[in-house]
Amino acid sequence: MWRVEKKKGWMMALVIVAPELDPSPWTAALQAVDPDLDIRVWPNHGDKRDIEFAITWNHPAGELLQYPNLRCIASLGAGVDHLLRDRSLPKGIRVTRLVHPLQTLRMTQYVLMAVLNHHRSFERYRERQAERRWSQEEIVTCSDEVNVGIMGLGNFGVDAAAKLTQIGFHVLGWSRTEKRIERVQTFFGDDQLNAFLSQTDILVCLLPLTPKTTDILNRHTFEKLRPGAYVINVARGEHLVEEDLLDALDRKHLSGACLDVFRAEPLPPNHPFWHHPRITVTPHIAVGDHPSLVASQIVENYQRMKANKVLLNQVDLKKGY
Amino acid sequence: MWRVEKKKGWMMALVIVAPELDPSPWTAALQAVDPDLDIRVWPNHGDKRDIEFAITWNHPAGELLQYPNLRCIASLGAGVDHLLRDRSLPKGIRVTRLVHPLQTLRMTQYVLMAVLNHHRSFERYRERQAERRWSQEEIVTCSDEVNVGIMGLGNFGVDAAAKLTQIGFHVLGWSRTEKRIERVQTFFGDDQLNAFLSQTDILVCLLPLTPKTTDILNRHTFEKLRPGAYVINVARGEHLVEEDLLDALDRKHLSGACLDVFRAEPLPPNHPFWHHPRITVTPHIAVGDHPSLVASQIVENYQRMKANKVLLNQVDLKKGY
């Protein structure tokens, strides 16, 4: 019935539902791609029946049920865990995520920076600088003797693996299903997780957040890593059991960690990570928002939806990524 | 005449002349390659007539004139400026330097680390962490909008350029003579230096030290760079006019510098670089010594010398690299 009425004059509109974000750069970037788009910004969505396409980041649970003509939900990021944790998500709606090569490069840059700062003792040299102390490391470990283990071999994991290999690291990869990647020693599934961990000196978490990967960085995982291992989490805060990290650092089994994501963001001021001498905290900046970069991808999917075409970067809702 | 006498029973020996270094790992690494080598360590060189091959790092000026049968000098590093500054260097002797792919990768790692720490505001985030402050950068500059200008397009420069390009930076290169490198915008000679500098946001010095490149990082060079440019020197301390750097930082024309090499090493405790808030000091560790990695290259050249073959990585003494 709504189809008939729609033809009689409803608007076809998009809505941005992202309570934490300033929507104006997004609206501007989308309109720069197509000035004719009718873009609404939650909570000022106008007639809810107009909305066919929702662009979301941490939307209020249940909100998307309010749009009777919704056909597609586009995540404003590479992850869709923020969407899928809404149990009242309307059924039968296609979900897409953003995958842009420049954003992948930004993630790779962050991973390289964290790996290199650890491998090349950057922070130790900065401490010595503060003491005006000229002192070279006595033992120089070449990077080909260091195993970087990447958990998650999607766009981000594969690109980071390639670039780390190119600058001399030996790279291992672990994923849920089997993957083969040139010059990377790959492992998959629960059965091979321990074999992967037991050879890893620097662990990089680039997994999607799903029920199966929640809390995967825990005391059992850390115990399997090589002594003195270093942990980098650039995926989601919920991957990490925070107390287990603190404990493994206290016991010196881990030498340090670099974290960009946290269970609570912003990280609360009294959180022990802030002042821990061996934890580097950055405020979820590994990739960052780039409205002008990705707006064309969103508009492309909006047009594909209207033309009933296959969407770009559609999420498998069963897998969760 | 000495040839005749030598046949009568002189030894053929190598000497290590490196007053600042512990020679034992070098001796061990060379003997691991060829246990029959007769390796002497200055000043205990035995009969000077035995020495045909000298392995040197910052040798005392004039010392190499003492060996009447010297035929080859091998630098213990990639640079030979320490050798060529000895004006009494014996004439007609071949000079080699060390070029090992893993050492090139170590240099590239350092350059990437310095570029990424600057581009991704690593130190600013660490300062905010100390203040328990969650604050993302407001302006996210994508790396393809950042020009990294590399001075010196030898092994080190070419490898760093390739890896920086692969992670999304736009790379410019400048060298004394014309070079063409895929995906790198190249400049050469004095005439094109200003054009190169005027497009550079992050300057990386990877030049050999020669009379022409001494003091090349000076106030005129800095003035040509884009406002807010960052300077990375991983070549030789003598490339940099230190007061000019401090002045350009004071005037805020440069935003910072990362320095691994200095006119005096170790950097004196009272040097202003140590406590400068926008200078990162590391103690000449970009590459580091790797006797076990490079010993086979030295032995190979010793054998080539004995067989009158072309040497690996022979230096053009006129050019100085």
Side-chain angles (χ1 to χ4, degrees):
Chain A
M1 195 182 87
W2 60 267
R3 288 182 186 276
V4 178
E5 287 183 25
K6 188 172 156 191
K7 280 182 189 157
K8 285 183 186 160
W10 286 353
M11 317 290 290
M12 288 180 65
L14 306 86
V15 66
I16 298 176
V17 189
E20 300 159 9
L21 299 182
D22 172 9
S24 48
W26 289 101
T27 312
L30 292 164
Q31 265 162 349
V33 179
D34 182 349
D36 296 331
L37 293 178
D38 179 355
I39 304 168
R40 318 275 173 87
V41 176
W42 177 89
N44 305 311
H45 38 52
D47 187 336
K48 289 177 176 175
R49 293 171 302 177
D50 296 346
I51 306 299
E52 291 191 298
F53 193 98
I55 301 166
T56 74
W57 187 259
N58 282 338
H59 69 275
E63 173 63 21
L64 300 173
L65 274 179
Q66 308 299 314
Y67 307 103
N69 298 325
L70 188 68
R71 294 167 63 193
C72 179
I73 304 169
S75 165
L76 273 181
V80 292
D81 47 290
H82 62 100
L83 264 168
L84 304 187
R85 80 162 66 100
D86 178 359
R87 300 207 174 168
S88 64
L89 206 65
K91 307 290 174 205
I93 307 270
R94 289 183 288 177
V95 172
T96 65
R97 62 198 196 92
L98 291 177
V99 180
H100 191 284
L102 282 181
Q103 293 190 309
T104 303
L105 282 180
R106 273 184 65 84
M107 178 60 94
T108 296
Q109 288 173 2
Y110 186 101
V111 171
L112 291 189
M113 178 173 76
V115 168
L116 288 170
N117 281 338
H118 170 65
H119 176 59
R120 302 302 300 268
S121 307
F122 182 75
E123 307 232 27
R124 206 169 325 162
Y125 284 121
R126 289 293 277 161
E127 287 162 16
R128 287 178 188 174
Q129 179 177 349
E131 301 162 4
R132 300 175 181 249
R133 193 150 66 91
W134 181 276
S135 169
Q136 299 168 337
E137 291 292 295
E138 279 162 32
I139 297 164
V140 174
T141 310
C142 270
S143 52
D144 62 338
E145 299 159 20
V146 174
N147 288 352
V148 182
I150 298 181
M151 303 182 92
L153 298 172
N155 291 298
F156 288 147
V158 167
D159 195 64
K163 302 319 190 320
L164 285 164
T165 303
Q166 283 160 357
I167 60 168
F169 291 92
H170 184 237
V171 178
L172 318 175
W174 179 83
S175 52
R176 201 181 65 92
T177 56
E178 190 167 9
K179 306 241 169 138
R180 292 192 186 187
I181 303 170
E182 206 183 343
R183 297 174 70 193
V184 176
Q185 189 182 350
T186 53
F187 300 81
F188 73 100
D190 294 339
D191 293 350
Q192 296 182 8
L193 182 57
N194 285 348
F196 162 81
L197 295 170
S198 66
Q199 295 175 59
T200 291
D201 298 295
I202 302 178
L203 185 69
V204 182
C205 179
L206 282 166
L207 288 163
L209 183 66
T210 70
K212 284 193 173 173
T213 67
T214 298
D215 295 336
I216 196 166
L217 302 177
N218 58 44
R219 63 181 65 230
H220 305 293
T221 301
F222 298 147
E223 270 160 24
K224 300 291 184 307
L225 294 171
R226 286 185 171 173
Y230 189 81
V231 171
I232 298 168
N233 188 17
V234 272
R236 288 285 181 262
E238 291 84 352
H239 286 124
L240 175 66
V241 181
E242 299 184 338
E243 311 79 63
D244 289 4
L245 174 68
L246 290 169
D247 184 57
L249 289 168
D250 283 351
R251 290 186 298 104
K252 311 264 159 116
H253 180 65
L254 295 182
S255 61
C258 177
L259 308 174
D260 188 49
V261 291
F262 305 90
R263 293 189 100 97
E265 293 181 10
L267 190 65
N270 60 350
H271 197 287
F273 286 175
W274 282 118
H275 271 198
H276 195 289
R278 285 179 292 141
I279 295 179
T280 296
V281 168
T282 57
H284 203 146
I285 47 88
V287 175
D289 289 335
H290 308 92
S292 62
L293 218 56
V294 295
S296 60
Q297 218 173 98
I298 296 173
V299 174
E300 167 81 18
N301 266 343
Y302 178 59
Q303 280 153 358
R304 284 170 176 252
M305 177 203 76
K306 288 198 290 180
N308 288 313
K309 285 188 184 164
V310 173
L311 303 183
L312 304 176
N313 305 311
Q314 187 172 339
V315 171
D316 178 336
L317 294 175
K318 276 196 192 138
K319 283 191 191 168
Y321 55 90
Chain B
M1 195 183 89
W2 59 267
R3 289 180 184 276
V4 178
E5 289 183 25
K6 187 173 159 191
K7 281 183 187 156
K8 286 182 183 161
W10 285 354
M11 316 290 290
M12 288 180 66
L14 306 86
V15 66
I16 298 176
V17 189
E20 300 158 11
L21 299 182
D22 172 9
S24 49
W26 288 101
T27 311
L30 292 164
Q31 267 163 346
V33 178
D34 183 349
D36 296 331
L37 292 178
D38 179 356
I39 304 168
R40 320 275 172 88
V41 176
W42 176 90
N44 305 312
H45 38 53
D47 187 337
K48 288 178 177 175
R49 291 170 303 176
D50 295 346
I51 306 298
E52 291 190 296
F53 193 98
I55 301 166
T56 74
W57 188 259
N58 282 338
H59 69 274
E63 173 63 22
L64 301 173
L65 273 179
Q66 308 298 314
Y67 306 104
N69 297 325
L70 188 68
R71 293 166 64 193
C72 179
I73 305 169
S75 165
L76 273 180
V80 292
D81 46 290
H82 62 101
L83 264 168
L84 304 187
R85 80 162 67 97
D86 178 359
R87 300 207 174 169
S88 63
L89 207 64
K91 306 291 174 206
I93 307 271
R94 288 182 289 178
V95 172
T96 65
R97 61 198 196 92
L98 291 176
V99 179
H100 191 285
L102 282 180
Q103 293 190 309
T104 304
L105 281 180
R106 273 185 64 86
M107 178 61 93
T108 295
Q109 289 174 1
Y110 186 101
V111 171
L112 292 188
M113 177 173 77
V115 167
L116 288 170
N117 281 338
H118 170 64
H119 176 60
R120 301 303 300 269
S121 306
F122 182 76
E123 306 234 24
R124 207 170 323 162
Y125 284 121
R126 289 292 278 161
E127 287 162 15
R128 288 178 187 174
Q129 178 177 349
E131 301 162 4
R132 300 174 181 251
R133 192 150 66 90
W134 181 275
S135 169
Q136 299 169 336
E137 292 291 295
E138 279 161 32
I139 298 165
V140 175
T141 311
C142 270
S143 52
D144 62 337
E145 297 159 21
V146 173
N147 289 352
V148 181
I150 298 181
M151 302 183 93
L153 298 171
N155 291 297
F156 288 148
V158 167
D159 195 65
K163 302 322 192 311
L164 286 164
T165 303
Q166 283 161 358
I167 60 168
F169 290 92
H170 185 236
V171 178
L172 318 175
W174 179 83
S175 52
R176 200 181 66 91
T177 56
E178 189 167 10
K179 306 244 169 133
R180 292 190 188 188
I181 303 170
E182 206 184 343
R183 298 173 70 192
V184 176
Q185 188 182 350
T186 53
F187 300 81
F188 72 100
D190 294 339
D191 293 351
Q192 296 181 9
L193 181 57
N194 285 348
F196 162 81
L197 295 170
S198 66
Q199 295 175 60
T200 291
D201 298 294
I202 302 177
L203 185 69
V204 182
C205 179
L206 281 166
L207 288 164
L209 184 65
T210 69
K212 284 192 173 173
T213 67
T214 298
D215 295 336
I216 196 167
L217 302 177
N218 59 43
R219 64 183 64 229
H220 305 292
T221 301
F222 298 147
E223 270 160 25
K224 300 291 183 309
L225 295 170
R226 285 185 172 173
Y230 189 81
V231 172
I232 298 167
N233 189 18
V234 271
R236 286 287 180 262
E238 291 84 352
H239 286 124
L240 175 66
V241 181
E242 299 185 340
E243 311 79 63
D244 289 4
L245 174 68
L246 291 168
D247 184 57
L249 288 169
D250 284 349
R251 289 187 298 103
K252 311 262 158 117
H253 181 65
L254 295 181
S255 60
C258 177
L259 308 174
D260 187 50
V261 289
F262 305 90
R263 293 188 99 97
E265 293 180 9
L267 191 64
N270 60 349
H271 197 287
F273 286 176
W274 282 118
H275 272 199
H276 195 289
R278 284 179 293 142
I279 295 180
T280 296
V281 169
T282 56
H284 204 146
I285 48 88
V287 175
D289 289 336
H290 308 92
S292 62
L293 217 56
V294 294
S296 60
Q297 218 173 97
I298 295 174
V299 175
E300 167 82 18
N301 266 344
Y302 178 60
Q303 281 153 357
R304 284 170 175 250
M305 177 202 76
K306 289 197 290 181
N308 287 314
K309 285 188 185 165
V310 172
L311 303 183
L312 304 176
N313 306 311
Q314 188 172 339
V315 171
D316 178 334
L317 294 174
K318 275 195 192 138
K319 284 192 191 165
Y321 55 92

